[in-house]
Amino acid sequence: MDAKVEHQPHPFDAATQVECTDGRWRGATSDDYHAFVGQFGGATTATLLRALMAHPDRAGDPLALTVNFCAPVSNGAFDLAPRLVKATRSTQHWSIDLTQPDVGVAAFGTAVFAQRRETWSHQPAEKPQTSHYEDTPVYSRAGVAAAWIRQFEFRFAENAPNFGGAPHPEPASPHTKAWIGHSVPRVIDLISLSAIADAFFARIFHVRGELLPIGTVSMTTYFHVDAADLATEATTAVLGVADANVFHKSFSDQTGELWSASGRLLATTHQITYFKA
Amino acid sequence: MDAKVEHQPHPFDAATQVECTDGRWRGATSDDYHAFVGQFGGATTATLLRALMAHPDRAGDPLALTVNFCAPVSNGAFDLAPRLVKATRSTQHWSIDLTQPDVGVAAFGTAVFAQRRETWSHQPAEKPQTSHYEDTPVYSRAGVAAAWIRQFEFRFAENAPNFGGAPHPEPASPHTKAWIGHSVPRVIDLISLSAIADAFFARIFHVRGELLPIGTVSMTTYFHVDAADLATEATTAVLGVADANVFHKSFSDQTGELWSASGRLLATTHQITYFKA
């Protein structure tokens, strides 16, 4: 990363910035993170998390974050209403609403923050064997319609999609493994992780081999590292493993794991997604 | 089930009942579902869900439910504040707070309801091979300290715990498979599912082979069937598959699947749990 880049706000940080003036929290969408309809949910999620992390009453690091997507976030500004619901000695429970004048509540979330201290530590889950980041070809996003996809670099280690051809005659596997980082290199912090948790392509695209109307309805991410743990990884790409269990009556689930190259499970994420098929 | 039982409220329905008088929603804890500290989280969850389902403005069936546990729910009555945050043509987003005078907000949740219609349907996940319910021995709860555990019948098909012996010298697997139903037989509906989603023993108990202080901090359940789908299963026990990925700095995750005997994935559930070890 050269000095010039370091002195500019990274597109991700620019897109997810928040400000608080006289107790009013505000943010705005960025054209860089536009999705097919409204803003990329991961950018919305990261903005909510950034507001909570920037709040003067916040203590500790994010542990759990749930975001409910009620309506597309329209281009332009929005208000944020963070609220500390309950604080205990070492944890905090927050809620936050995102509202727009023409939409009302477009998204709202709940989060748990914790001041995490060393304890017994054990990771039964093992990082899947894949090609290394450096050896995995960059997935071409040429011709991709949604702006947000160009903000991330995907390197599929397994089950790369091929959307150019005919739809699959039979359902294919929803399972994928891909290295994911910001297109403009940026060290991955907890706010990045919260966005990358929503950066998997919709599972139905992989299963059906075609693009269909979809939308995340609710997403939950658990952080298995705190800021200090993640800083020691100093990573610019994570291995994202995603899958789905069920597609039924307009909704499917998605499960995701975000791994560091060193073999540490940084976060797990789950969402329920609307589909039209 | 004999006629007498049919005419009494089932202990689960009695424990999770709610009433609304002049717009004020109330419930109360039940000694039957007492946990080590406060009320069993699954009973709290089911009570929140029951209030939302009983709300006159509710449309559709629960699709996603997140409950944040802020403080132990004390013995006695509590107030519930359900709020319809946003409604679209076929989905509703709700929030609900549970408060007690001496505690403040003890738990709060968010939920998505949807009117689900037939679409393309596909279940990539396959039910694990296990012994049948009828062939699986009932797990003895003799001497179990927490009342709520006696309200469920557990039949471990894999990795039954043995808490009587010495702690494991090395971490054991957090993976378990168990048939779970109400001790007093009751057909499993969506409200049951929301409680059974929290009825797995804490993963650390299995890994360490000992009981340690734990508490669910946040739990999310996705329902992959609607009420009509579940009614066709007419089941009194589900196969619960649970696992954990990470134990680190006071918190661990837990993943769960609830399967019907017929091989249908009814719900998936995830939680983040505090532990002291």
Side-chain angles (χ1 to χ4, degrees), chain B residues 112-124:
Chain B
V112 183
F113 282 73
Q115 297 177 60
R116 303 181 67 165
R117 297 187 184 87
E118 287 298 341
T119 59
W120 175 71
S121 209
H122 176 53
Q123 183 185 294

Side-chain angles (χ1 to χ4, degrees), chain A residues 86 103 116 121-122 247-248, chain B residues 86 103 121-122 247-248:
Chain A
K86 185 88 174 178
V103 179
R116 304 181 68 165
S121 209
H122 176 53
F247 301 80
H248 181 62
Chain B
K86 185 88 173 176
V103 179
S121 209
H122 176 53
F247 301 79
H248 182 61

Side-chain angles (χ1 to χ4, degrees), chain B residues 73-94:
Chain B
V73 178
S74 301
N75 283 348
F78 47 76
D79 277 282
L80 298 170
R83 181 171 69 98
L84 180 56
V85 176
K86 185 88 173 176
T88 64
R89 204 166 35 189
S90 61
T91 60
Q92 292 183 329
H93 288 270
W94 288 85

Side-chain angles (χ1 to χ4, degrees), chain A residues 5-6 17 34 41 51 54 63 72 103 115 123 142 146 149 157 162 167 188 227 229 252 260 266 275:
Chain A
V5 172
E6 278 192 33
Q17 67 182 307
H34 198 70
L63 177 69
V103 179
Q115 297 177 60
Q123 182 184 294
I149 293 175
N162 179 8
I188 289 176
D229 294 327
S252 80
S260 75
L266 307 175
F275 69 81

Side-chain angles (χ1 to χ4, degrees), chain B residues 190-226:
Chain B
L190 294 165
I191 296 179
S192 288
L193 278 186
S194 77
I196 293 174
D198 193 38
F200 298 109
F201 297 174
R203 296 299 93 188
I204 199 169
F205 297 173
H206 293 276
V207 172
R208 303 261 304 208
E210 61 182 330
L211 302 180
L212 294 163
I214 60 99
T216 301
V217 173
S218 184
M219 176 172 74
T220 291
T221 300
Y222 297 145
F223 299 91
H224 301 304
V225 286
D226 61 19

